[in-house]
Amino acid sequence: MTWTPFYLGDGTPRDVDLGAPPPWRTFPRQPRPERFQPPPGLVEAVNAALALRRPLLLTGAPGSGKSSVIKQVATELRLGEPLRWHITSRSTLVDALYRYDALGRIHAQRLGGDSGTDDIAPFLQLGPLGTALLPSRAPSEQPRALLIDEIDKSDLDLPSDLLDVLEHGEFEIPELARYRDDDVDVREWESDAVHRIVKGRVRCDNFPFIVLTSNGERDFPAAFLRRCIRYTMPMPDTESLRRVVAAHFETEVAPSGPVDSLIAAFVERLRAGESLAVDQLLNAVHVLTGAQAPEGAAAEEVRELILRELTGA
């Protein structure tokens, strides 16, 4: 069928049917953990991290499925919706543990004057790591799951700053340790739920399942690495990519068909040292093999656009 673009660039208003989006680009996002295909050795690494109550450090290229691991584990083991701490160069340990709005509290005190109650609770919220370390509400409660995404994007000191918290599973909120009341109800991360903090101390009783992801862009201190179970995502091969595509599109990949040809070319480029992500392949399959797929020169142009190397300008 002839490629029919939505946008023509002529500025003329028109009614256009954009068609259905790819399954992984529907909103609100609906996680489909069964679509993730664990590579060899990953299941063993996850189970070791769970048994030892140690963080799992996953290293691999962008788009290799690292962040999908925790979603699948949390679903299978009923750990609840995973918490997420996305790392940037400005991320600090304190931000991951709790957030305190000191200026907001000062402003409230000034507005309240002598009649103000000076309640600190509205100005505190636990961060993603702090929430993951909360003690269980019931003896049978499973540990929380926490994704620490792209740890190699952090400041050089952050991995070392994490050591004590990851080793002992506890931390102090100084503002609460000095507060007049011993018990304060503090909001959890991205939730309306509150948890009672006693004397400013948070101590976990069931260490969370923590997955840290790295794109392999830096080295980490030995003291940090020895506290983690480490696994490197392997370079995908033709057979594993066939399974990934089949899982996402819920269809078998026909041998020697257009999808199989895309997979073979993708693997060849990976082996040649190019930096490509698996989701680029999925995007290419969706656009280049659908009912309205482009043909000829248009197909080549779209292919180059979608499968552009990640390290290129």
Side-chain angles (χ1 to χ4, degrees), residues 83 121 124-127 131 134 137 141 144 184-197:
L83 300 160
L124 277 169
Q125 182 181 29
L126 293 168
T131 300
L134 286 172
R137 298 180 185 275
E141 190 175 51
R144 295 297 300 266
V184 178
D185 293 333
V186 180
R187 287 178 298 137
E188 299 180 13
W189 178 248
E190 294 185 340
S191 171
D192 293 329
V194 298
H195 201 101
R196 179 151 296 179
I197 307 298

Side-chain angles (χ1 to χ4, degrees), residues 36-54:
F36 177 67
Q37 304 292 306
L42 177 59
V43 170
E44 289 74 18
V46 169
N47 286 322
L50 289 165
L52 296 170
R53 304 301 197 274
R54 290 288 188 184

Side-chain angles (χ1 to χ4, degrees), residues 53 129-136 143-144 165-171 195 201-208 210:
R53 304 301 197 274
L129 178 56
T131 300
L133 291 172
L134 286 172
S136 305
R144 295 297 300 266
V165 174
L166 295 181
E167 187 65 25
H168 297 100
E170 62 179 80
F171 66 97
H195 201 101
R201 201 78 191 167
V202 174
R203 293 185 177 92
C204 78
D205 54 15
N206 200 354
F207 193 77
I210 298 177

Side-chain angles (χ1 to χ4, degrees), residues 42-280:
L42 177 59
V43 170
E44 289 74 18
V46 169
N47 286 322
L50 289 165
L52 296 170
R53 304 301 197 274
R54 290 288 188 184
L56 175 64
L57 175 60
L58 296 178
T59 303
S64 57
K66 301 185 296 298
S67 59
S68 299
V69 175
I70 195 167
K71 298 175 186 176
Q72 191 173 73
V73 175
T75 298
E76 284 195 23
L77 304 185
R78 301 184 188 277
L79 304 184
E81 182 65 24
L83 300 160
R84 177 170 177 167
W85 178 22
H86 183 75
I87 300 293
T88 71
S89 60
R90 299 180 299 277
S91 298
T92 67
L93 175 60
V94 172
D95 287 340
L97 296 176
Y98 72 98
R99 313 286 173 91
Y100 173 52
D101 182 8
L103 293 178
R105 186 182 176 201
I106 292 172
H107 183 64
Q109 288 172 332
R110 289 176 176 172
L111 289 178
D114 295 336
S115 61
T117 60
D118 189 29
D119 183 7
I120 196 174
F123 307 100
L124 277 169
Q125 182 181 29
L126 293 168
L129 178 56
T131 300
L133 291 172
L134 286 172
S136 305
R137 298 180 185 275
S140 61
E141 190 175 51
Q142 294 281 57
R144 295 297 300 266
L146 169 66
L147 174 65
I148 302 179
D149 203 16
E150 297 193 332
I151 184 68
D152 47 358
K153 298 288 195 301
S154 72
D155 177 85
L156 290 175
D157 292 330
L158 183 60
S160 297
D161 293 342
L162 281 167
L163 292 181
D164 186 70
V165 174
L166 295 181
E167 187 65 25
H168 297 100
E170 62 179 80
F171 66 97
E172 182 183 72
I173 301 176
E175 291 82 0
L176 291 184
R178 299 189 299 263
Y179 192 56
R180 64 170 186 266
D181 298 333
D182 287 343
D183 300 347
V184 178
D185 293 333
V186 180
R187 287 178 298 137
E188 299 180 13
W189 178 248
E190 294 185 340
S191 171
D192 293 329
V194 298
H195 201 101
R196 179 151 296 179
I197 307 298
V198 180
K199 296 182 178 180
R201 201 78 191 167
V202 174
R203 293 185 177 92
C204 78
D205 54 15
N206 200 354
F207 193 77
F209 175 59
I210 298 177
V211 172
L212 305 103
T213 71
S214 167
N215 293 331
E217 297 176 355
R218 60 179 278 194
D219 296 325
F220 297 105
F224 174 77
L225 293 177
R226 75 175 179 84
R227 287 170 170 82
C228 301
I229 301 299
R230 290 173 282 160
Y231 179 85
T232 300
M233 303 291 282
M235 181 184 296
D237 58 19
T238 302
E239 189 54 43
S240 67
L241 288 175
R242 284 195 185 108
R243 292 195 299 270
V244 169
V245 171
H248 278 81
F249 289 92
E250 299 180 347
T251 185
E252 293 298 321
V253 177
S256 303
V259 175
D260 203 48
S261 298
L262 279 172
I263 293 173
F266 185 84
V267 170
E268 185 177 345
R269 290 180 62 180
L270 288 178
R271 290 174 177 169
E274 293 191 48
S275 177
L276 295 166
V278 174
D279 55 354
Q280 288 177 278

Side-chain angles (χ1 to χ4, degrees), residues 249 258-259 262 284-294:
F249 289 92
V259 175
L262 279 172
V285 170
H286 178 77
V287 172
L288 296 172
T289 64
Q292 300 286 341

